[in-house]
Amino acid sequence: MPGFSQATDLAAWKALTEHHDKLGRAIVLKEEFAKDPERFNKFSHAFKNSADGNEIVFDFSKNFITEETLSLLVKLAKEAKVEELRDDMFKGEKINFTEQRAVYHMALRNTSNKPMQVDGKSVVEEVNSVLDHMKEFTEQVRSGEWKGYTGKPIDTIVNIGIGGSDLGPVMVTEALKPYGKEGMKLHFVSNIDGTHMAEALKASNPETTLFLVASKTFTTAETVTNANTAKSWFLEHAKEKSAIAKHFVALSTNTKEVEAFGIDAKNMFGFSDWVGGRYSVWSAIGLSVALYIGYDNFHEFLAGAHAMDEHFTSTPLEKNIPAIGGLLSVWYSDFFGAQTHLVAPYDQYMHRFPAYLQQLSMESNGKAITRSGDYVKYTTGPILFGEPGTNSQHSFFQLLHQGTKLIPTDFILAAESHNPIDNNKHQRMLASNFFAQSEALMVGKTPEAVKAEGAPDELIPHKTFLGNRPTTSILAQKITPGALGSLIAYYEHLTFVEGAIWNINSYDQWGVELGKQLAKSILGELEGEGKVDKHDSSTNGLINLFKSKAGM
Ligand code: F6P
């Protein structure tokens, strides 16, 4: 335990409160830029990515910070013992204390093979042995050496999983589509809504389809039900149970349940309980990624995250990119009352990135109990949302520019497009919007400027933009596997820093359990005879209406 319960008790928190009272919304970003021509250089950091040799620039200069703010935020991190908790995490200590587990997904991407241990036992060998298995299998499937039950090569992958066993693989395979194997079709079935599985099966040929049943626990109701449906569909065609071995593999920690399902343990790719679901894309759960982009690219993806781990563990807090990102989030949430965090990738391939970050951030820091068991006296995890630019500009950005809410926003762009079509015209237009949005959000438009454009008096307030909206711009060279790995790890560590300061356990997720339990008992009622009367009148009324309308 870090020696404090409420973050509000820390001296630096109090100093930040005073600093906010002085600086508060009195800070005018455009004036800060006018005052200090070095502001961009001072508050932006270039991350050198050893995985692909490229740089990613994180520009924090359009945020509500001065040098004093940053030094107080760093003080807060020091008092909250963020570095000590980080070091404990990287030592394999059981910082997920409510589940008595280490938080060690960084060991899965330890591409430099540094010694890493849990419970005094090295984990490097077991990680590398699963990676070797993934490499061998990936090469067999991609080369056509792995054959289906009628001797045909595999051309379709169906990943069955939900939450962390789905969002990472979907997001990464979409983001890295330019590296994908031509002709390989991918489907991700997560929803228990039968439509999801039905559509995937309609588009699949049992002779050439490989099902990856992805579930850390192998007990998740949606995944087990979907996997059984896929198995029945497959057996209707293949008839012989022995054919399952060529078409079903499991990505899981639970050998017993995998075998009970009918998948041979040699077709299982394992990992350990120190890998949280939302941090598992680096593990065997990433098999669909490796199959699609090839093992070497998957390795580069891991190396990109490893490079960010190295930066996070070795850089002083003042210059530590994920630490600054996390501290800014605390600054906005708790001192400015911001309730949200918007992430807008200007990259169509990254269209699922915000959805992925939603689980990472909101399942990690959607908590209200401190590590000492008290209810927090401040707000914690923001509501994360996002959509790619430029589409989002034409839907909800209106609220960013002229609404009443403060929405700290991250913009992400790569300098090089994977599709420089029309002589790079699209890329120039995309980039011009990326730059224009953060500038517009900052500078706004004064009533005088609106008037000078000839607007009639009654329209002047409607066309005025207050500006002074904070943004972070992230400029990568290109979205390579290595760059994507680093970006994900950036957000993982940012989430860690937030949680460490809020003094909550970012690594459990008890909040999803109640709904699961109730759904289980209501399922029994839907399957039973007669009217339901055990709930409140709304729930009873709705269940009974549903039963009669659905003919149950
Ligand atoms: O219910 C939430 C959750 O436990 C997530 O944390 C997890 O990613 C998801 O369900 C899927 O779990 P599993 O991989 O065990 O099927």
Side-chain angles (χ1 to χ4, degrees):
M1 294 295 159
F4 71 100
S5 174
Q6 300 288 348
T8 37
D9 294 340
L10 298 171
W13 188 285
K14 292 179 183 139
L16 277 162
T17 309
E18 279 167 29
H19 177 65
H20 176 262
D21 289 346
K22 268 199 285 145
L23 177 91
R25 297 221 57 181
I27 185 169
V28 178
L29 289 172
K30 60 183 175 191
E31 287 173 10
E32 296 296 320
F33 276 97
K35 268 197 303 214
D36 183 2
E38 281 304 301
R39 189 172 167 90
F40 171 68
N41 291 332
K42 254 182 217 161
F43 294 112
S44 62
H45 299 275
F47 167 74
K48 302 250 182 303
N49 193 351
S50 51
D52 64 359
N54 290 330
E55 210 177 67
I56 308 178
V57 174
F58 293 77
D59 174 19
F60 298 110
S61 63
K62 292 196 188 86
N63 282 288
F64 292 159
I65 44 169
T66 60
E67 279 158 289
E68 189 189 356
T69 320
L70 202 57
S71 91
L72 287 172
L73 287 169
V74 165
K75 237 173 120 203
L76 179 69
K78 293 215 153 121
E79 278 180 34
K81 303 211 184 314
V82 170
E83 289 159 302
E84 285 84 340
L85 191 68
R86 174 199 65 193
D87 295 346
D88 283 352
M89 176 168 81
F90 274 85
K91 272 191 251 148
E93 306 276 316
K94 301 200 168 148
I95 67 160
N96 174 3
F97 66 93
T98 57
E99 296 180 310
Q100 273 306 306
R101 286 179 188 162
V103 174
Y104 222 36
H105 46 277
M106 299 81 68
L108 299 164
R109 57 205 193 200
N110 174 22
T111 47
S112 60
N113 284 320
K114 287 164 72 147
M116 293 189 85
Q117 299 188 336
V118 173
D119 287 329
K121 196 173 152 269
S122 171
V123 298
V124 178
E125 297 71 21
E126 73 182 69
V127 167
N128 286 340
S129 124
V130 175
L131 285 173
D132 288 346
H133 189 192
M134 287 169 74
K135 181 174 196 285
E136 185 195 8
F137 183 70
T138 296
E139 282 162 6
Q140 284 174 339
V141 172
R142 285 169 62 90
S143 67
E145 189 193 329
W146 183 281
K147 304 250 184 318
Y149 70 98
T150 57
K152 294 184 182 159
I154 299 298
D155 64 8
T156 304
I157 311 286
V158 179
N159 187 83
I160 304 173
I162 197 163
S165 300
D166 168 71
L167 286 162
V170 182
M171 183 278 280
V172 176
T173 50
E174 283 294 305
L176 298 179
K177 206 174 240 169
Y179 300 86
K181 185 173 164 58
E182 235 186 280
M184 187 180 274
K185 286 170 270 162
L186 291 180
H187 300 282
F188 291 88
V189 178
S190 48
N191 204 328
I192 192 60
D193 180 349
T195 296
H196 214 177
M197 180 55 81
E199 286 297 330
L201 295 181
K202 260 191 240 167
S204 304
N205 172 356
E207 294 173 59
T208 58
T209 297
L210 179 70
F211 293 94
L212 312 181
V213 187
S215 176
K216 176 179 166 180
T217 55
F218 227 80
T219 56
T220 302
E222 291 93 330
T223 301
V224 173
T225 307
N226 278 328
N228 275 307
T229 302
K231 188 167 78 173
S232 307
W233 173 85
F234 175 75
L235 286 175
E236 271 168 35
H237 295 88
K239 314 285 181 220
E240 291 295 326
K241 274 200 169 157
S242 58
I244 288 179
K246 296 187 183 311
H247 292 267
F248 281 78
V249 302
L251 323 175
S252 185
T253 59
N254 191 341
T255 316
K256 200 165 141 245
E257 287 299 326
V258 166
E259 285 179 330
F261 177 84
I263 295 178
D264 200 315
K266 70 176 190 304
N267 288 338
M268 173 174 160
F269 296 81
F271 54 104
S272 297
D273 72 356
W274 41 258
V275 182
R278 52 195 172 275
Y279 300 89
S280 64
V281 69
W282 320 104
S283 73
I285 294 291
L287 186 62
S288 54
V289 177
L291 285 165
Y292 187 51
I293 66 172
Y295 186 80
D296 290 348
N297 283 321
F298 184 68
H299 186 269
E300 185 189 305
F301 171 65
L302 301 182
H306 182 56
M308 186 57 82
D309 293 342
E310 296 282 276
H311 168 88
F312 183 54
T313 46
S314 64
T315 311
L317 291 173
E318 302 66 30
K319 294 196 168 121
N320 192 310
I321 298 168
I324 298 173
L327 288 166
L328 281 174
S329 174
V330 172
W331 181 226
Y332 291 124
S333 294
D334 298 298
F335 297 87
F336 288 84
Q339 296 289 334
T340 55
H341 177 181
L342 167 60
V343 179
Y346 278 62
D347 183 312
Q348 188 54 32
Y349 286 130
M350 288 176 75
H351 66 115
R352 294 297 284 161
F353 195 57
Y356 172 80
L357 294 184
Q358 270 175 340
Q359 186 194 14
L360 169 63
S361 171
M362 293 162 81
E363 200 169 63
S364 298
N365 287 339
K367 319 271 164 71
I369 302 299
T370 69
R371 278 180 278 163
S372 352
D374 304 311
Y375 200 92
V376 288
K377 293 184 178 159
Y378 35 85
T379 63
T380 56
I383 300 157
L384 192 146
F385 71 112
E387 273 292 316
T390 57
N391 297 21
S392 43
Q393 294 175 201
H394 297 273
S395 58
F396 57 80
F397 270 32
Q398 164 65 35
L399 190 146
L400 261 64
H401 287 283
Q402 289 188 310
T404 54
K405 305 262 187 301
L406 174 71
I407 305 183
T409 301
D410 295 353
F411 290 109
I412 304 172
L413 175 76
E416 279 176 64
S417 168
H418 284 290
N419 298 294
I421 56 172
D422 207 359
N423 203 18
N424 239 344
K425 182 169 191 214
H426 291 257
Q427 178 68 358
R428 284 191 295 278
M429 286 178 70
L430 180 73
S432 65
N433 278 278
F434 167 87
F435 297 119
Q437 284 301 320
S438 59
E439 188 176 32
L441 284 164
M442 177 174 78
V443 298
K445 195 169 185 183
T446 60
E448 294 72 34
V450 179
K451 195 174 170 66
E453 282 177 356
D457 281 357
E458 68 277 15
L459 284 189
I460 290 174
H462 298 279
K463 292 188 149 195
T464 296
F465 291 65
L466 294 177
N468 212 30
R469 270 56 171 167
T471 59
T472 295
S473 298
I474 301 174
L475 182 59
Q477 181 63 35
K478 191 172 186 177
I479 302 302
T480 61
L484 186 68
S486 303
L487 285 173
I488 300 172
Y490 163 72
Y491 281 100
E492 284 180 355
H493 295 319
L494 179 160
T495 304
F496 164 87
V497 170
E498 293 173 329
I501 291 174
W502 289 323
N503 198 17
I504 52 180
N505 180 6
S506 302
Y507 299 102
D508 59 14
Q509 56 285 314
W510 303 105
V512 296
E513 293 306 319
L514 178 61
K516 282 189 197 171
Q517 277 168 15
L518 290 182
K520 213 170 171 187
S521 83
I522 293 175
L523 179 63
E525 292 169 343
L526 294 181
E527 283 167 350
E529 293 287 318
K531 290 211 164 203
V532 167
D533 59 7
K534 290 198 198 78
H535 308 266
D536 58 89
S537 64
S538 161
T539 311
N540 284 335
L542 289 167
I543 293 176
N544 290 326
L545 259 177
F546 171 81
K547 285 182 89 164
S548 76
K549 282 179 186 290
M552 290 178 184

